[in-house]
Amino acid sequence: MSQTDMIDALDPLDGPVTGLELEAERTAEALVFAAAEPVSESYLAERLPRGVDVARIMWRLVRLYAGRGVNLIRVEDRWAFRTAADLSFVIRRDDTEVRKLSRAALEVLAIIAYHQPVTRAEIEEIRGVQTSRGTLDVLMEAGWVRFRGRRRTPGRPVTLGTTPRFLDHFGLEEIRDLPGLEELKGAGLLSGRIPPDFRIPIPMSAEDLSEDEDPITQLDLEELGLLTPGGGEDE
Amino acid sequence: MSQTDMIDALDPLDGPVTGLELEAERTAEALVFAAAEPVSESYLAERLPRGVDVARIMWRLVRLYAGRGVNLIRVEDRWAFRTAADLSFVIRRDDTEVRKLSRAALEVLAIIAYHQPVTRAEIEEIRGVQTSRGTLDVLMEAGWVRFRGRRRTPGRPVTLGTTPRFLDHFGLEEIRDLPGLEELKGAGLLSGRIPPDFRIPIPMSAEDLSEDEDPITQLDLEELGLLTPGGGEDE
Amino acid sequence: MAGDTSQSATPMDRLWQDTDARGVSEAALVIDVGGFEGPLDLLLHLARTQKVDLARISVLALAEQYLQFVDSARRVRIELAADYLVMAAWLAYLKSKLLIPQQVRQDDGPTGEEMAATLAFRLKRLEAMREAATRLINRNRLGRDVFARGAPEHIPERNGQAFEANLYDLLNAYANLRQRQAVTQVTIERRKVWSLVEARELLTSMIGEIGDWTALQHYLLDYMSPTDRVTATASAFAASLELVREGRLEMRQDGAFQPLYMRRATGRPGGPVSE
């Protein structure tokens, strides 16, 4: 989306391209192509001929590669080449294992991503359950989550946030690109407090309501007997 | 040489390019890019749309990339992308290769961060092992650890602390941002099975000297200069 | 996201009539406590069986379902984790507040409506995060759908640093080291009784900050085995007094044998700050 916008916006910049710029393009291409990790713009700027507009160079390259099998993408202020997503099925190898996340870990990751900076207590409040040992560990080890700092409130709790690697892994240019972020914010679902217009109508009598309750059946009870108590542990 | 010949020789093949061929080009590009090693033509043939002439696709790609910062090259009978030879000076591996910090160094660094101002003897007491000469050197060299002052106790041992660069590297605003006991537990770094009297110090500001510390003087530094990097003497 | 459009405008009367129209013969609820991530998760599951937008759920019905579930579980002698029981106590309290017509508001405690709204909001927020997580994980992921250079030719230097280490490595090293040195073997005896303070802590992580007068104790005792009640009451009372002394809690009782209300202490200058 925003990449395409940017490409369109750059059209006026099409103008004459100098030999210096072509050389800068080749160099930038080579630098980014060679690396596996995204390369920062400052890293590129240091290595490109003086006086070229690095952003312009990069966006020209983005457009150049837009239709190809390998695309130039941006992760925050870093650049990387990545295979085109539509070719996934051809490139995918059987031996490529992406990290499998437990449901708990995935939920914690999403909460950290959407609510960052967020404290552990806030995560637990949202999930209503303690975060088990190891859940955050997995996310830290994957390099997706990091300690950001400490909240300037009593107790100075540590805040968590996501890393550039998280963005890279999930194909996000920046945090603002998280799916549905704006709607969630608009609905007040990313705040700790109930939005003022969030009201639940309250029934007048208890009788009307018993009808939409699902009674517990014998079947349920049998199932209960089979199952281990004291769950609620994640992982 | 022979590549150029081949490109010239292919010119007659320029003719009409089908959509299928363009797709094959994209796929080949992505496959070669993502592969860890040069890929064979048979590997490509298996994955490209049936009926395309793999050699023709590859030679068209060779020509496409010929003037770019990245070239498609043939190594024996396999294909690979390589940065253009004339740009190798930009790409060449940086002299200062990034090294991972050893576990010992990480431990010493962490102790210095949490327990500062701390003497070498105290570090050894906490770790339970002698700290090798090189370990502190590495941390000094990285610019993360510095001499803070001297403890006003017999022997006036030198105290160690962290530097602003340390904060910068680890993304901390101030030393007090280091997580405490609860946060370490919460992050799953400490297990629940710790003695009740287990404490983690709240790190002292890296800037101010503590009450029983004297500032390091020029004289001290000279003295230390003799002692630190070369001579294995400490305290 | 479900329902941010509908929640505000719908007249409340119609809402509650709606519930009658719904099929009552929902597939029987499958209760698998082990499969739930705590009481809030279970509540969310129950709410889904109501098949309505979370902004329109009947909190009362939900509470009723949950309490029924807990009762059944207890009847067949399944030992439920403490947090399930604390949630039950809270819901029982909520239920009583919702059912009893607005009393003369003798204090500033939250109304049943406010408490219900809080619960509904939390359920909705949790559901929203679940959906967000699903959308996130279904994106094109690096290493599965999208690939990086397979044969990188160099590693860009990072800020000219010769050594690489991140905060996580550092903390991990420190935590491991300290833990290694703390050789003392501690075995924590399993607690038979949890105090009201613990209950409050559990509840806080489930429901959020309980800022106002709450008479949880009264309901909580219902969910304890008779043998534990006396000791639970005693230890809860002692623990609460301790917290009052520390300025972290305020307590109130309207008369002898009346429920004991408590709330987080507010605005005590210079008092120790709880986490």
Side-chain angles (χ1 to χ4, degrees):
Chain A
M1 279 168 285
S2 67
Q3 288 217 354
T4 334
D5 292 351
M6 191 67 176
I7 294 171
D8 290 347
L10 277 177
D11 268 359
L13 290 179
D14 256 351
V17 179
T18 64
L20 190 70
E21 280 190 319
L22 281 180
E23 206 43 37
E25 251 183 38
R26 291 184 70 231
T27 310
E29 213 174 17
L31 284 168
V32 179
F33 209 96
E37 299 283 318
V39 173
S40 74
E41 230 164 71
S42 62
Y43 177 89
L44 292 170
E46 269 172 39
R47 282 155 183 83
L48 296 189
R50 262 174 219 296
V52 298
D53 177 348
V54 179
R56 177 179 144 112
I57 299 287
M58 298 317 286
W59 287 108
R60 280 181 52 86
L61 283 173
V62 166
R63 190 172 45 187
L64 185 71
Y65 279 92
R68 315 272 344 151
V70 173
N71 304 146
L72 182 59
I73 60 137
R74 198 168 78 102
V75 183
E76 281 180 344
D77 68 333
R78 290 161 185 270
W79 296 92
F81 277 108
R82 298 285 180 252
T83 58
D86 66 315
L87 297 174
S88 159
F89 68 101
V90 204
I91 319 288
R92 201 182 286 187
R93 293 176 295 256
D94 301 331
D95 58 332
T96 50
E97 261 292 308
V98 280
R99 199 173 281 265
K100 274 249 186 312
L101 282 184
S102 69
R103 203 180 88 164
L106 179 58
E107 210 170 282
V108 170
L109 178 64
I111 292 170
I112 292 173
Y114 284 80
H115 290 258
Q116 63 186 304
V118 66
T119 68
R120 182 173 66 102
E122 286 160 354
I123 295 172
E124 299 192 341
E125 194 192 293
I126 292 169
R127 298 186 63 226
V129 72
Q130 295 232 317
T131 306
S132 85
R133 240 182 87 81
T135 301
L136 269 180
D137 229 17
V138 165
L139 299 174
M140 296 264 188
E141 255 161 35
W144 293 339
V145 162
R146 66 189 176 93
F147 294 116
R148 281 176 57 121
R150 308 191 85 165
R151 178 87 38 89
R152 290 195 200 293
T153 53
R156 307 190 73 245
V158 168
T159 54
L160 298 158
T162 54
T163 61
R165 182 175 283 183
F166 162 83
L167 296 176
D168 191 20
H169 185 90
F170 290 99
L172 299 160
E173 206 173 304
E174 46 193 342
I175 278 300
R176 284 189 306 178
D177 293 340
L178 281 170
L181 185 69
E182 285 310 312
E183 300 137 71
L184 287 172
K185 220 182 252 168
L189 290 172
L190 296 186
S191 85
R193 295 182 178 282
I194 312 185
D197 57 343
F198 190 94
R199 276 287 166 267
I200 301 299
I202 293 305
M204 296 298 112
S205 102
E207 297 314 305
D208 308 338
L209 287 154
S210 55
E211 277 166 51
D212 65 7
E213 294 160 23
D214 290 323
I216 297 236
T217 66
Q218 192 52 44
L219 204 74
D220 292 329
L221 293 178
E222 277 162 25
E223 261 165 80
L224 275 169
L226 292 172
L227 294 160
T228 46
E233 194 59 40
D234 42 3
E235 183 86 22
Chain B
M1 295 142 275
S2 69
Q3 289 214 353
T4 335
D5 293 351
M6 194 63 174
I7 295 171
D8 290 346
L10 278 177
D11 267 357
L13 288 181
D14 255 349
V17 179
T18 64
L20 190 71
E21 280 188 318
L22 282 179
E23 207 42 40
E25 258 183 32
R26 293 182 71 231
T27 310
E29 233 169 24
L31 283 167
V32 175
F33 172 84
E37 286 169 6
V39 296
S40 68
E41 250 167 54
S42 62
Y43 173 91
L44 292 168
E46 267 172 41
R47 284 157 182 84
L48 295 190
R50 265 177 217 295
V52 298
D53 176 347
V54 178
R56 177 181 142 109
I57 297 289
M58 297 316 285
W59 286 109
R60 279 181 52 86
L61 283 174
V62 166
R63 191 172 44 185
L64 184 73
Y65 282 92
R68 315 254 8 132
V70 174
N71 304 149
L72 182 62
I73 60 151
R74 215 163 108 99
V75 191
E76 288 170 3
D77 62 339
R78 287 160 186 273
W79 294 95
F81 279 114
R82 287 280 182 275
T83 49
D86 66 316
L87 293 173
S88 64
F89 71 99
V90 210
I91 312 296
R92 75 149 192 272
R93 214 172 248 279
D94 297 303
D95 306 333
T96 55
E97 202 179 326
V98 180
R99 276 183 290 161
K100 258 216 172 300
L101 216 53
S102 71
R103 197 181 85 169
L106 271 175
E107 282 179 6
V108 171
L109 180 59
I111 292 170
I112 292 172
Y114 271 98
H115 298 254
Q116 65 187 299
V118 64
T119 68
R120 186 151 173 174
E122 287 162 350
I123 294 173
E124 300 194 337
E125 192 187 321
I126 295 170
R127 287 189 70 217
V129 285
Q130 291 237 316
T131 304
S132 84
R133 263 182 43 204
T135 307
L136 264 184
D137 286 351
V138 162
L139 298 174
M140 296 269 185
E141 192 192 318
W144 293 334
V145 161
R146 67 187 177 92
F147 297 116
R148 287 173 51 115
R150 310 194 83 159
R151 179 80 44 85
R152 273 190 224 118
T153 53
R156 305 188 67 241
V158 169
T159 53
L160 296 157
T162 54
T163 61
R165 191 155 171 193
F166 166 84
L167 296 178
D168 197 42
H169 181 91
F170 291 96
L172 300 162
E173 226 162 276
E174 45 176 332
I175 201 70
R176 293 213 309 147
D177 284 345
L178 283 171
L181 182 65
E182 286 307 313
E183 288 92 17
L184 289 177
K185 253 198 239 167
L189 295 176
L190 278 177
S191 82
R193 290 177 151 260
I194 44 177
D197 60 346
F198 188 85
R199 290 281 174 276
I200 278 178
I202 297 167
M204 284 253 323
S205 157
E207 305 303 318
D208 313 323
L209 290 173
S210 68
E211 277 171 16
D212 61 354
E213 253 180 316
D214 284 329
I216 280 237
T217 65
Q218 191 53 44
L219 205 74
D220 291 329
L221 283 176
E222 276 164 26
E223 206 179 312
L224 287 163
L226 291 172
L227 292 170
T228 357
E233 211 76 42
D234 42 357
E235 259 92 275
Chain C
M1 279 136 288
D4 34 351
T5 49
S6 56
Q7 76 186 36
S8 45
T10 332
M12 105 184 199
D13 288 348
R14 212 186 70 223
L15 271 186
W16 297 101
Q17 280 149 18
D18 271 0
T19 58
D20 294 346
R22 271 201 318 278
V24 184
S25 58
E26 297 292 344
L29 168 63
V30 178
I31 300 170
D32 170 1
V33 186
F36 288 106
E37 302 236 1
L40 209 57
D41 191 21
L42 172 58
L43 274 170
L44 187 56
H45 176 85
L46 290 170
R48 285 218 188 92
T49 65
Q50 288 193 20
K51 289 247 168 97
V52 277
D53 186 319
L54 272 183
R56 305 164 68 191
I57 52 163
S58 155
V59 170
L60 189 53
L62 188 60
E64 193 57 51
Q65 280 185 336
Y66 185 94
L67 293 174
Q68 258 181 38
F69 156 71
V70 170
D71 282 345
S72 323
R74 283 153 57 87
R75 218 173 299 135
V76 293
R77 292 166 162 272
I78 286 184
E79 195 185 338
L80 287 171
D83 48 349
Y84 283 84
L85 299 181
V86 172
M87 177 60 92
W90 188 79
L91 287 174
Y93 176 59
L94 169 62
K95 192 177 132 190
S96 74
K97 287 208 115 183
L98 287 175
L99 290 182
I100 298 166
Q102 280 288 5
Q103 292 168 320
V104 197
R105 280 188 69 164
Q106 48 179 348
D107 64 66
D108 39 356
T111 65
E113 286 81 354
E114 281 160 357
M115 289 168 68
T118 304
L119 178 60
F121 170 70
R122 288 193 199 263
L123 290 173
K124 192 166 175 200
R125 188 173 59 176
L126 179 60
E127 189 183 53
M129 280 301 107
R130 295 258 164 92
E131 279 167 15
T134 310
R135 287 169 80 172
L136 194 60
I137 208 70
N138 287 332
R139 288 181 65 84
N140 288 321
R141 291 173 63 188
L142 185 64
R144 187 187 69 179
D145 309 295
V146 162
F147 294 84
R149 179 79 197 271
E153 289 168 57
H154 78 133
I155 306 150
E157 62 182 334
R158 294 186 189 163
N159 319 322
Q161 286 284 357
F163 294 98
E164 188 189 24
N166 60 38
L167 187 57
Y168 178 70
D169 295 335
L170 183 75
L171 298 176
N172 212 4
Y174 184 67
N176 284 338
L177 167 76
R178 291 297 311 278
Q179 191 132 0
R180 224 166 46 229
Q181 299 309 112
V183 276
T184 334
Q185 197 68 35
V186 207
T187 15
I188 295 153
E189 204 185 325
R190 200 171 159 275
R191 274 194 83 110
K192 283 232 180 61
V193 161
W194 18 280
S195 69
L196 196 48
V197 176
E198 282 173 284
R200 284 178 61 88
E201 268 162 22
L202 278 175
L203 194 59
T204 304
S205 73
M206 285 185 276
I207 288 298
E209 193 58 68
I210 321 154
D212 277 302
W213 294 114
T214 316
L216 189 55
Q217 175 199 39
H218 182 62
Y219 297 91
L220 195 55
L221 293 181
D222 292 347
Y223 290 93
M224 293 183 172
S225 69
T227 46
D228 288 344
R229 260 177 224 165
V230 177
T231 158
T233 312
S235 62
F237 188 62
S240 342
L241 287 182
E242 185 65 17
L243 285 184
V244 171
R245 194 180 62 81
E246 286 170 19
R248 292 162 63 186
L249 196 72
E250 287 175 22
M251 294 174 75
R252 202 197 74 203
Q253 193 176 26
D254 294 338
F257 304 110
Q258 291 296 300
L260 206 55
Y261 289 90
M262 38 180 65
R263 71 173 174 190
R264 186 184 40 155
T266 46
R268 183 177 172 279
V273 199
S274 67
E275 288 228 19

